[in-house]
Amino acid sequence: MGAPFALELKGITKTFGSTIANKDVDLQVKNGEILSILGENGSGKTTLMNMVSGIYFPDSGEIYVDGKEVVIKSPKDAFDLKIGMIHQHFKLVDVFNAVQNIVLGVNDGKKYNLKEAEKRVKAICDKYGFVIDFSKKIYEMSVSEKQTVEIIKVLYRGADILILDEPTAVLTPQETEKLFDVLRKMREDNKSIIIITHKLHEVLEISDRVTILRKGMYVGTVETKDATEQSLTEMMMGEKVSLNIKRTEPKNPELRIDVKNLSVKNHEGKLVLDNVNFTANSGEILGIAGISGCGQKELLESIAGLQQTVKGSSILYKSKDGEESQLVGKSPKEIRKLGVALSFVPEDRLGMGLVGNMDIVDNMMLRSYKGGHTAFLERKAPKDLANTIIKDLEVVTPSAETPVRRLSGGNVQKVLVGREIASNPTVLMVAYPVRGLDVNSSYLIYDLLNKQKEHGTSVIFVGEDLDVLIELCDRIMVMNSGKITGIVDGRTAKKDEIGILMTKNTDREGKA
């Protein structure tokens, strides 16, 4: 008779200085099950799994694999115990192909043989239903293909316990369904799978049980069949939370941004935006859907003056007074003065807009320092703004004087988005504003965006979650490979319809 659990944690505690990341956490994972781990930002989900995968070492507590107590001091120890973690940010070598990345670092005592390795990789693909082109270099692959390589990589090393951190963050609905099909086949093969995710509907669709953490502590584990989005949210937050996005009808919409024939080339001369045409109106939220890398980033940066456009491109801005300004050729500073704000939250949150070594107050001042030396002398207004953002967005920080780099990723994000909204822009562009945020924080941001819309701001929202785009946005513009493949009405749009447009290659401009 086998051990009752593939993995069991007892009383796991981990601190970083005075911060308690996990406290006395218990967790059990059965053989052949999919377990989801839920919790708000800073609840200790990733820290806990980083201890299982050998990145951190617990201060106290025990870890059992197949009923035997083990010590995991490194990722190699975890692999030796057949535990593999697929991180949200992939660890692949761009110039290598799939098989080269999969076998990289494997030391099984055998002579290196790429053909034999390819046979083993093919056998894994056939067994679980992976589809991948072995000859493709990583830099040529989509996000979904890169993720496939990462999963095969841990299976190749013999993993029986797989941990996936936010695995569907940048996948289309169709890609997500393919991934879920693969995970179900792994479950049938008696693999144990742990998923860290914020998407409650996916938790209910794919997992067998759900473990909830709150403020670093274990709250409970429930059978998925007995759970609802509302019940899981209440366990996460410890209180009742409304999960409704209150979308209002646009009031007196007026043209704010009119984009015509917009094209942008990258450093290699390849078109990353190809003849893009659309409008954005006051008092509405225009959503932009697309697979990561389809051109949304370049589109927003073009409007903000951060991209050089191809000759013939036009980005016309119309102010509340009816004055028209051509944004092409203007500097970011000139564009900001007109009232166009860009709050772009990339994977590297500190790489754009915030300085990690500066505290929250100083980061509020960054927007005004070019106006002269007075910003450095007058700290009251920036400090008041910092404290308002901390209070309204529930930023977890010791104080407004805490360096931004010491905050969790989700709290850094709140500071960045809060600062942009506080500037009262005429046009507010936000990209991935809730990436990595828990449910409660996400709905705070959605509420803020709706308030901006009601104040007459034109909001352009790039998001990853199609359910949210459909619930929040008035119109949804879908992009693929730098082109617009359709514009649909958010009130009548269907998820599958948007998913098809996200992978559509022909240039078709829809009408809402």
Side-chain angles (χ1 to χ4, degrees), residues 83-135:
I83 300 169
M85 185 165 177
I86 295 94
H87 298 270
Q88 194 174 352
H89 306 312
F90 307 135
K91 302 174 188 302
L92 300 168
V93 180
D94 275 356
V95 294
F96 285 2
N97 66 25
V99 177
Q100 288 167 332
N101 268 280
I102 289 163
V103 301
L104 190 66
V106 173
N107 184 11
D108 54 8
K110 296 176 185 176
K111 191 178 177 183
Y112 181 69
N113 187 323
L114 205 57
K115 282 189 177 179
E116 282 300 314
E118 193 168 312
K119 281 182 188 174
R120 280 183 61 193
V121 172
K122 188 177 184 306
I124 292 170
C125 291
D126 292 343
K127 186 173 187 179
Y128 298 112
F130 292 110
V131 178
I132 193 154
D133 182 348
F134 293 161
S135 63

Side-chain angles (χ1 to χ4, degrees), residues 465-484:
D465 191 326
L466 295 188
D467 291 293
V468 169
L469 279 163
I470 288 168
E471 200 176 342
L472 176 71
C473 302
D474 300 293
R475 292 184 297 143
I476 301 167
M477 183 169 83
V478 189
M479 296 184 69
N480 182 31
S481 303
K483 296 182 181 182
I484 295 176

